[in-house]
Amino acid sequence: MLDSGNFVLARNNSAVVWQSFDHPTDTLLPAQVLNRDGSLFSSFSERNFSRGRFKFILQNDGNLVLYTLNYPMADHVFAYWSTQTLGTGFQVIFNQSGYVYLTARNGTILNYMSSNGVSTDQFYQRLTLEYDGVLRHYVYPKSANSTGGRPMEWSVNVFLPSNICLRIGGDTGGGACGINGFCSLGTDQRPICGCPSGYSLIDPNDRMSGCKQDFLQQSCNQESQESDNFGFINMANTDWPGSDYAHFVSVSEDWCRQACLGDCFCAVAIFRDGNCWKKRIPLSNGRIDSSVGGKALIKIRQNNSTITNPFGGNIPSKSDRSTLIIMGSVLLGSSVFLNLLLLASVLLFVFRFKGRKSKTNIQAYTFLPGVNIRSFSFNELQEATNGFKEELGRGACSTVYKGALKDENGKVVAVKKLDKIEKEADQEFKAEVSSISRTNHKNLVQLLGYCDEGQNRLLVYEFMKTGSLANFLFENPIRPNWYKRVQIAFATARGLCYLHEECSTQIIHCDIKPQNVLLDESHIAKISDFGLAKLLKPDQTKTTTGIRGTRGYVAPEWFRNMPITVKVDVYSFGILLLELLCCRKNYEADVENECEVILADWAYDCYKEGKLSSLVADDEEAIDDIKRFEKFVMTAIWCIQEDPALRPHMKRVMHMLEGSVEVPAPPDPTSFIS
């Protein structure tokens, strides 16, 4: 057994006869290579390590693919992630520096699966295809010194795909959570599986086993009045794509309900934007996500008991109401006084029930349209922040306070309170909730909830212990570690790439700057503050809007009456990248040399004249990594080109930073003539 984890059978002359690295199961280790036709199979469940439902394979055609399998057979069902490298992919390499990438036959890097390199001298590492279908790169510190005092545990460095719930589709298969189940992504980026009301897990010990109906299906006997025994439970932002057998357009929700109720084959109806889809059992690839929209109407049998309302309270079944009517009819024959008394009692019961149901719904589940996150009352947040006592930061029209949620074991949060309750501030609030609630990425600050009560507008975010990148760069008496700055650049680029290219609704952030990049206790960078964000429609690539952003980071096209695209964020990222490289602000008036006042101009002059050492100054770590420093400077100059057409998209920027593509010599950024 070698230190690498490779189990080897060798001859006396050390010639290898057999090695476990040639026969992987669900895991790759550093120094291990996956050749064409090599594959990983997931385990069946968290504790059952027999072959499971997912496969990772470098095909003979050169394409690297993640598949769902036709369990218990091993044939492929649906490709939910791939590198699209037909004819070129040759080897998957996990090197000693912690990078995982796909190469061509000539050694050219085609795709980075994990570019957040971590030294194998300090960390154990593994790349595992787990039972939930997600490929995760794990790291584990070899000593307590590697953790900076944090607990020693396996932590996830990179995972693919970013949202397993939305990526798996197809007309067959159970998706990430099994037949009839639904999948939602948790805060730890792991799928959470559940069953609709009236259904339960087939195997309580396997959350991905799928769900079974706990009631008799509707009879198709024409003489039966079975529809009277069924009702609906609503589930917002839920769908089982691929299970429909009928589709109707330009109809109302009530029409959709009645159409499903009168159809013995209909198990679920999906209503969205005037469209109604009828779905039959079994249901495939269920998912809950704010990007889905609409609602699922789950048809369940009411029987002779009450139906549990998932939003609180009980709904009397039709048979219960019939019983009340019959009992009332029998008793109401005695006297006028008794009639009035009973009538008053029935009315009191009805109004109390309706009031209780309405109150429960409003208090427990209040959402903005299309948003499916927790709603807080103002008093809850006032108590959580101890009367808005500890201020974390302040913006143009908002202040951020530190708080702790008592009902979540004292979980520390950041509460952003909008100071100006004007139309513009209200629009900013709705924009931030609408945009970030649709996102889910490890390099975006997670929105936990909001308050929209009277004149109060507040947002509740995860707490980022280290604070902003601005504090980290500009208020630190010691120059921050070069390699940490490199990782911050990678993370910020990944977050922007997700907003621009991987979100269901493309988002232009419009205000990328160090103050809006926050760092957790491990110095993992996450983009925050979506108050100025601009959402684009699915078929839209540009927009026109008033000037947004912060002076020094605003792209020139804002001032030239040009259409605004995702390239404005690329420009801002270029400025931020230069600040990361040089640990100084883009504009500093008190420098000795006048040509160094504006960092962007000075950086291009240094590059053009071959004097990058002036930018590096006394940063010994950057000097030792001068080739990467030069590549990053060139990438930043491409990003800040005044001509938006010359700026690369963020995915290209990521590849330039990672080294998977060459960075050509950039032109003078100010050469563009309006």
Side-chain angles (χ1 to χ4, degrees), residues 27-97:
T27 297
L28 294 180
L29 299 177
Q32 192 168 1
V33 172
L34 191 70
N35 294 307
R36 283 193 173 186
D37 207 30
S39 59
L40 303 179
F41 287 90
S42 69
S43 60
F44 182 79
S45 68
E46 196 168 6
R47 291 181 174 82
N48 180 348
F49 294 98
S50 59
R51 183 172 290 184
R53 307 174 176 99
F54 304 94
K55 183 179 182 179
F56 177 67
I57 180 172
L58 178 55
Q59 298 178 157
N60 280 321
D61 60 11
N63 198 13
L64 185 62
V65 190
L66 280 167
Y67 282 109
T68 57
L69 300 180
N70 189 23
Y71 186 84
M73 308 298 286
D75 46 310
H76 304 159
V77 175
F78 185 80
Y80 58 95
W81 179 90
S82 78
T83 55
Q84 300 294 319
T85 50
L86 287 169
T88 55
F90 179 65
Q91 280 186 328
V92 176
I93 296 175
F94 193 166
N95 71 15
Q96 293 285 4
S97 299

Side-chain angles (χ1 to χ4, degrees), residues 656-674:
M656 292 162 75
L657 295 176
E658 293 167 348
S660 57
V661 298
E662 291 295 324
V663 184
D668 183 346
T670 60
S671 61
F672 177 60
I673 299 175
S674 176

Side-chain angles (χ1 to χ4, degrees), residues 240-312:
W240 284 267
S243 300
D244 24 301
Y245 64 93
H247 178 205
F248 307 94
V249 297
S250 301
V251 298
S252 66
E253 181 181 338
D254 186 60
W255 186 95
C256 188
R257 287 173 177 270
Q258 293 303 318
C260 183
L261 197 62
D263 185 345
C264 62
F265 296 111
C266 182
V268 171
I270 303 294
F271 181 77
R272 182 169 56 244
D273 301 328
N275 287 265
C276 176
W277 291 268
K278 289 183 182 180
K279 297 184 180 289
R280 64 168 73 87
I281 294 292
L283 305 166
S284 295
N285 304 311
R287 71 277 306 270
I288 295 182
D289 190 86
S290 58
S291 65
V292 172
K295 64 175 66 175
L297 310 172
I298 314 297
K299 186 165 73 174
I300 66 171
R301 181 180 289 272
Q302 298 177 157
N303 295 325
N304 293 320
S305 59
T306 58
I307 305 170
T308 302
N309 183 348
F311 303 109

Side-chain angles (χ1 to χ4, degrees), residues 617-647:
D618 57 350
D619 190 343
E620 294 182 2
E621 291 177 327
I623 292 172
D624 291 339
D625 199 9
I626 192 64
K627 287 187 177 180
R628 173 150 42 184
F629 184 90
E630 181 180 10
K631 179 176 64 180
F632 276 31
V633 170
M634 293 168 67
T635 303
I637 294 172
W638 275 112
C639 290
I640 62 172
Q641 294 292 313
E642 288 197 11
D643 184 356
L646 292 179
R647 293 176 216 147

Side-chain angles (χ1 to χ4, degrees), residues 571-606:
Y571 182 92
S572 303
F573 175 78
I575 300 295
L576 182 145
L577 180 57
L578 289 174
E579 293 179 328
L580 263 174
L581 294 174
C582 303
C583 294
R584 55 152 283 186
K585 296 178 181 178
N586 185 43
Y587 178 81
E588 288 189 358
D590 56 350
V591 294
E592 294 181 4
N593 193 334
E594 185 179 349
C595 67
E596 298 178 12
V597 171
I598 299 176
L599 176 59
D601 295 343
W602 180 42
Y604 179 73
D605 291 342
C606 290

Side-chain angles (χ1 to χ4, degrees), residues 338-398:
L338 197 57
N339 287 348
L340 294 174
L341 183 62
L342 285 171
L343 180 60
S345 301
V346 170
L347 290 174
L348 180 63
F349 169 78
V350 170
F351 283 117
R352 286 187 63 186
F353 168 74
K354 286 186 176 180
R356 184 169 65 251
K357 183 178 72 170
S358 175
K359 183 178 179 182
T360 303
N361 281 346
I362 293 171
Q363 287 183 348
Y365 289 82
T366 304
F367 299 112
L368 290 175
V371 177
N372 194 14
I373 55 175
R374 179 176 173 183
S375 171
F376 292 89
S377 69
F378 181 76
N379 288 337
E380 282 181 291
L381 297 183
Q382 191 172 37
E383 183 180 355
T385 57
N386 195 17
F388 304 102
K389 185 177 181 181
E390 185 176 349
E391 185 176 318
L392 296 175
R394 184 178 291 270
C397 59
S398 62

Side-chain angles (χ1 to χ4, degrees), residues 109-123:
I109 297 175
L110 301 174
N111 184 284
Y112 272 101
M113 277 154 284
S114 180
S115 56
N116 195 355
V118 179
S119 171
T120 53
D121 294 335
Q122 294 182 304
F123 292 87

